[in-house]
Amino acid sequence: MWQDHLTEIIIFTVLFLAVSGVGFVAARWRRPDNMLHLDEWGLGGRSFGGWITWFLIGGDLYTAYTFVAVPALLFGAGAAGFFAVPYTIIIYPLVFLVLVRLWSVSHRHSFVTPADFVRARFGSPTLALIIAITGIVATMPYIALQLVGIEAVLKTMGVTGESAIARHLPIIVAFAILAAYTYQSGLRAPALIAFVKDTLIYVVILVAIFYLPYKLGGWGAIFDAADAKFKATPAPGDGILLNGNNQWQYITLAFGSALALFLYPHSLTGVLASRNRGVIKRNMSALPAYSLLLGLIALLGYAAIAAGVKPLPGTKAGSVDSNTVVPLLFDSQFPSWFAGIAFAAVGIGALVPAAIMSIAAANLFTRNIYKEYLRRDASPAQEANVSKIASLVVKVGAVACIVFLDPQFSIDLQLIGGVIILQTLPAVALGLYTRWFHRGALVTGWVAGMGLGMWMLYVIPNAATKRAHFGGSAFPLAKFGFDTQATVYVGFVAVLVNLVVAALVTLALRAGNVPDGPDGTRPDDYFADEGDARVPAQAGPAPEEEAPADDTQPAPKV
Amino acid sequence: MSDLDPAAAPPAAATRRARARDHSPWNWLLFVPILVPLITPLFNFDTPRLLGFPGFYWLQLAFIVLGVGTTTLVYRMTKRKG
C-alpha cells in the first residue's frame, strides 16, 4: 500500500517538482536574442561547452530505462545482460572517428537532423524522408519506455490503481509538466536538468555499490548467490559467464547496439548542440565515466538475487514485471528517505532523455516533412513553432502507447527500434565517408534490411513469456539452416544484408546509367570547425529529378 | 548550386588543421578499444577474481579505462599537430 511508502513518495514528489521548476527557468539560461529559431530551441544555440555536453549526452544515452532494464536482464539471464558494458565502451571511439565529421558538415550547412545531411549529400528528399520517418518511428517507443521506467518506481511505492486511468494518472501529470517546459525552454531544459539528474544518480550508485555489498556479505557472496540461482534453473542460456551459444549474440548485440545508439536522432541532437569539434572529442574520453556507472548498476541485478528480491506481478495474470527488481532492492535495503532519493533519480532520469528524444523527433518532422513537403518557404520562426507543437504531439503519442497498449508492446517496439534505426547506417554513417552509393540503391538496401529484420524478429519465440513472435532479438542461426544452437543479433544481420544489397544495386544502377542525385557538400565541409564560415541557407529546394549532366558523375571519395 | 561554388573561399586554417588531425595515423589506435571488448575469449572466465568480481566482470570494467586512455591519448597526440 502507498501509505507504507509515504516518506519515499514525499521525497520523490518534492525533488520531481523542484526539477520541473528548473526546466521552466532554463528558458532564461544562456538566453539568446531570438528563441524562435530551430538552432536555439532545438539545439540550444549550438553553443554548449564541455561540461554541459557531458551532462547532456550522458543524460541522453543512459536513460531511466537503461538503469531499470539492464539490471533486470542480469537478474533474469545473467552474463548476457552485461553486453551493455562493451556496448557503451566501443561507442565512444566510434563517435570520435565518425560523428565529428557529421558535426562539421552540419555546422557548415546548418543541418539540424541526420536526414538534412542525407538530403544534401545524396540530393534526394525521398531518401531523407525515409531516414526521417525511420528516426521518428524508432524514437517514439523509446520515449514510451522512459515512462515504463517511472512506472516501475511508482509501482514499487504502491502508487497504482485498479482502472487503467487511475494507474496512469501520475505519469500523465508528469509528462504534462515535461511537455510544458520542453515547449517553453527547448533543449536548454534537459541540458540544465541533466546536472541535477546525474548528480542524484551518481550519489545513489556510489552509496549502493558500497552499502549493498556491506549488507549482503560482499561482492564475492553476491556473485556466488547469482551463480547458485542460475545453476538451479533448467534454462540453458543463463549463468554468470557466457556459454558457447550466446557468445556471438553477445558480440553482435554489443556492436550492433553501439552502431544503433549513435544513429538515433536524439544522440545526434546532443552532438550537434556542442560548440566545436574539440568539445566532442574531449567528451568521448570523459563519457565512459557513465559506462562505469552503468556496469555497476547492472550488477545490482545480482545484488537483488542475493537479497532475495521477488519482482512484482505484471499487468497480465501470472507474469512478473522484472523491471521492478532494482526499485524493490532499494526499497528493501535502504532507509526510506534514501530510497526516496533513489526513486527520484530514476524518475528524473526518465525526463531528460524523454525531452531530448521528443525534440529530436520534432525536428525531424519539421525539417524533413513539414518544410520539405508542406511548406517550403517556412521561416525560421515558423520552423521553431512547428517543432514546439510537434514535440507535444510526440509526447501525447508516447503516453497513449503506455496507457492504451500493453507496456510489453513498447518494449517490443523498442527492440524493433534498434533494428530499424540501424538500417539508416549506410546513408548516414557511411555517407559521411563516401558518396559512392547510389541514392536509389540506398533506398533498396533500406527496404531489404527492414524486411529481413522484421521477419527475423517476427519468427523469434520466447519460451519464458510463452510468446510465439517478437520474443527477443537473439536469432537462432538454426533457422537459416545452420546446424548449431548459436544465436546472433537480428539488427547485425539485417544491416549486413542492407549493405550488400545497396552495393549490388549501386553497381547495377551505375551500369544502367540511371542518374544519381547531386552532392551538395564538399570534401572540406567534413573538417570545418568553430569559427568557419557557414554556407548561406539555400534559397530554394535542391533539384530532385533530373540532375544536370555534370552532376551525374560519381562524386569523389572523401 | 551556386552557393557551393568551390572558388568561394579557401579553406580556413581551422579546417586545414582539422583535416590533418582526422588523417593522423594515431586514429588507428581507436580500433583497439573497439575490438578488444568484442573478443569474448579474452574475458569469459571466472577466476582470478578481483575484490570478489569474476574475471568476466572486472576485466570488462577495466576495458572502460582502456577506452578512456586510448581516446585521451589520441586526442592529445592529434591536437598538437598543425
Side-chain angles (χ1 to χ4, degrees):
Chain A
M1 287 311 294
W2 64 271
Q3 285 90 341
D4 304 335
H5 300 273
L6 199 58
T7 319
E8 292 168 6
I9 293 173
I10 291 172
I11 290 177
F12 179 88
T13 313
V14 167
L15 283 171
F16 196 91
L17 290 179
V19 158
S20 305
V22 171
F24 284 107
V25 173
R28 296 188 199 169
W29 177 50
R30 305 163 69 98
R31 191 181 183 81
D33 297 332
N34 176 20
M35 189 73 162
L36 273 184
H37 192 294
L38 218 46
D39 275 0
E40 291 299 337
W41 182 83
L43 289 179
R46 299 180 189 258
S47 66
F48 290 158
W51 279 103
I52 307 173
T53 303
W54 188 71
F55 278 110
L56 183 71
I57 299 186
D60 187 13
L61 301 189
Y62 300 85
T63 68
Y65 180 69
T66 322
F67 288 147
V68 167
V70 172
L73 265 178
L74 267 84
F75 180 87
F82 210 62
F83 85 94
V85 171
Y87 147 46
T88 55
I89 295 173
I90 60 183
I91 183 162
Y92 297 113
L94 278 173
V95 172
F96 193 102
L97 288 168
V98 178
L99 286 197
V100 283
R101 294 172 70 90
L102 183 67
W103 185 91
S104 287
V105 72
S106 304
H107 175 81
R108 262 282 164 81
H109 293 265
S110 302
F111 297 149
V112 181
T113 67
D116 283 350
F117 161 70
V118 168
R119 181 189 190 284
R121 178 65 146 167
F122 295 98
S124 169
T126 315
L127 185 59
L129 178 70
I130 290 176
I131 302 290
I133 292 176
T134 312
I136 294 172
V137 171
T139 306
M140 284 278 275
Y142 218 153
I143 301 172
L145 270 191
Q146 302 309 314
L147 296 169
V148 173
I150 303 186
E151 231 174 16
V153 167
L154 292 173
K155 221 171 173 177
T156 308
M157 292 194 294
V159 184
T160 180
E162 289 304 312
S163 71
I165 293 296
R167 195 163 62 237
H168 296 296
L169 193 64
I171 288 203
I172 295 172
V173 173
F175 248 49
I177 298 174
L178 171 70
Y181 64 66
T182 311
Y183 181 89
Q184 192 192 341
S185 311
L187 195 64
R188 285 176 170 78
L192 204 51
I193 292 175
F195 283 88
V196 185
K197 171 220 158 188
D198 291 330
T199 310
L200 281 177
I201 291 204
Y202 275 103
V203 169
V204 168
I205 293 311
L206 280 176
V207 171
I209 58 167
F210 290 108
Y211 181 74
L212 291 176
Y214 163 76
K215 279 198 81 171
L216 299 169
W219 279 109
I222 290 175
F223 282 107
D224 290 338
D227 198 24
K229 177 200 158 178
F230 294 129
K231 283 204 173 112
T233 60
D238 59 10
I240 62 167
L241 294 179
L242 298 174
N243 56 46
N245 296 334
N246 60 12
Q247 290 205 25
W248 277 108
Q249 163 72 7
Y250 192 84
I251 297 167
T252 50
L253 183 59
F255 188 60
S257 304
L259 293 177
L261 185 61
F262 81 90
L263 290 167
Y264 270 111
H266 62 269
S267 337
L268 300 178
T269 300
V271 168
L272 294 187
S274 47
R275 190 195 303 142
N276 56 39
R277 291 167 69 100
V279 166
I280 300 172
K281 289 193 166 186
R282 280 198 301 277
N283 255 289
M284 293 313 122
S285 316
L287 276 163
Y290 283 95
S291 304
L292 194 59
L293 193 67
L294 178 68
L296 296 170
I297 293 174
L299 294 175
L300 294 183
Y302 288 166
I305 295 176
V309 168
K310 295 269 177 297
L312 292 175
T315 39
K316 268 186 275 182
S319 67
V320 291
D321 184 354
S322 61
N323 287 331
T324 54
V325 292
V326 165
L328 283 170
L329 176 72
F330 289 166
D331 186 52
S332 67
Q333 302 292 320
F334 286 144
S336 50
W337 66 272
F338 195 75
I341 293 181
F343 292 166
V346 175
I348 297 165
L351 299 182
V352 173
I356 304 172
M357 288 168 192
S358 65
I359 288 170
N363 288 347
L364 280 170
F365 172 78
T366 307
R367 296 278 300 188
N368 309 107
I369 297 175
Y370 175 77
K371 193 174 161 72
E372 189 75 58
Y373 291 98
L374 302 176
R375 185 154 188 171
R376 293 202 157 186
D377 56 349
S379 69
Q382 281 168 327
E383 279 188 37
N385 274 324
V386 169
S387 236
K388 288 168 86 168
I389 293 165
S391 83
L392 294 182
V393 175
V394 168
K395 285 196 205 70
V396 172
V399 173
C401 275
I402 291 294
V403 174
F404 298 110
L405 304 171
D406 182 356
Q408 182 60 42
F409 192 65
S410 297
I411 298 169
D412 294 345
L413 281 176
Q414 152 66 3
L415 192 74
I416 299 171
V419 174
I420 71 174
I421 199 70
L422 262 177
Q423 306 315 317
T424 64
L425 179 108
V428 178
L430 295 188
L432 287 167
Y433 283 93
T434 172
R435 182 60 182 69
W436 181 76
F437 289 104
H438 191 284
R439 57 181 175 182
L442 287 170
V443 175
T444 322
W446 180 90
V447 170
M450 220 42 150
L452 179 71
M454 289 306 110
W455 172 78
M456 289 170 76
L457 288 170
Y458 180 78
V459 297
I460 296 174
N462 188 324
T465 52
K466 300 188 182 61
R467 291 147 51 85
H469 304 296
F470 296 110
S473 62
F475 186 81
L477 283 174
K479 284 198 195 281
F480 280 146
F482 295 104
D483 182 24
T484 170
Q485 290 268 304
T487 57
V488 66
Y489 176 52
V490 171
F492 187 77
V493 178
V495 77
L496 280 184
V497 169
N498 180 340
L499 279 170
V500 170
V501 170
L504 292 178
V505 176
T506 297
L507 293 174
L509 292 177
R510 289 271 147 72
N513 273 328
V514 179
D516 200 350
D519 182 359
T521 66
R522 286 190 297 143
D524 257 5
D525 294 347
Y526 296 88
F527 306 102
D529 205 346
E530 185 184 19
D532 275 13
R534 299 248 169 114
V535 172
Q538 291 180 14
E544 183 195 1
E545 286 80 30
E546 292 299 309
D550 56 341
D551 274 323
T552 52
Q553 54 199 320
K557 286 188 184 181
V558 289
Chain B
M1 308 295 281
S2 57
D3 53 321
L4 294 169
D5 181 6
T15 309
R16 281 200 307 275
R17 279 199 302 274
R19 180 194 293 268
R21 276 176 216 148
D22 280 14
H23 288 171
S24 163
W26 283 101
N27 285 311
W28 290 102
L29 262 188
L30 292 172
F31 285 96
V32 173
I34 294 177
L35 289 176
V36 168
L38 294 176
I39 307 174
T40 47
L42 281 181
F43 51 83
N44 192 26
F45 42 77
D46 190 324
T47 48
R49 288 197 174 191
L50 183 73
L51 300 172
F53 285 64
F56 182 77
Y57 300 89
W58 71 259
L59 272 169
Q60 289 190 79
L61 292 175
F63 293 158
I64 297 175
V65 181
L66 175 74
V68 172
T70 317
T71 34
T72 309
L73 180 71
V74 172
Y75 175 69
R76 299 210 165 237
M77 297 317 286
T78 53
K79 200 170 69 162
R80 281 187 205 142
K81 280 203 165 186

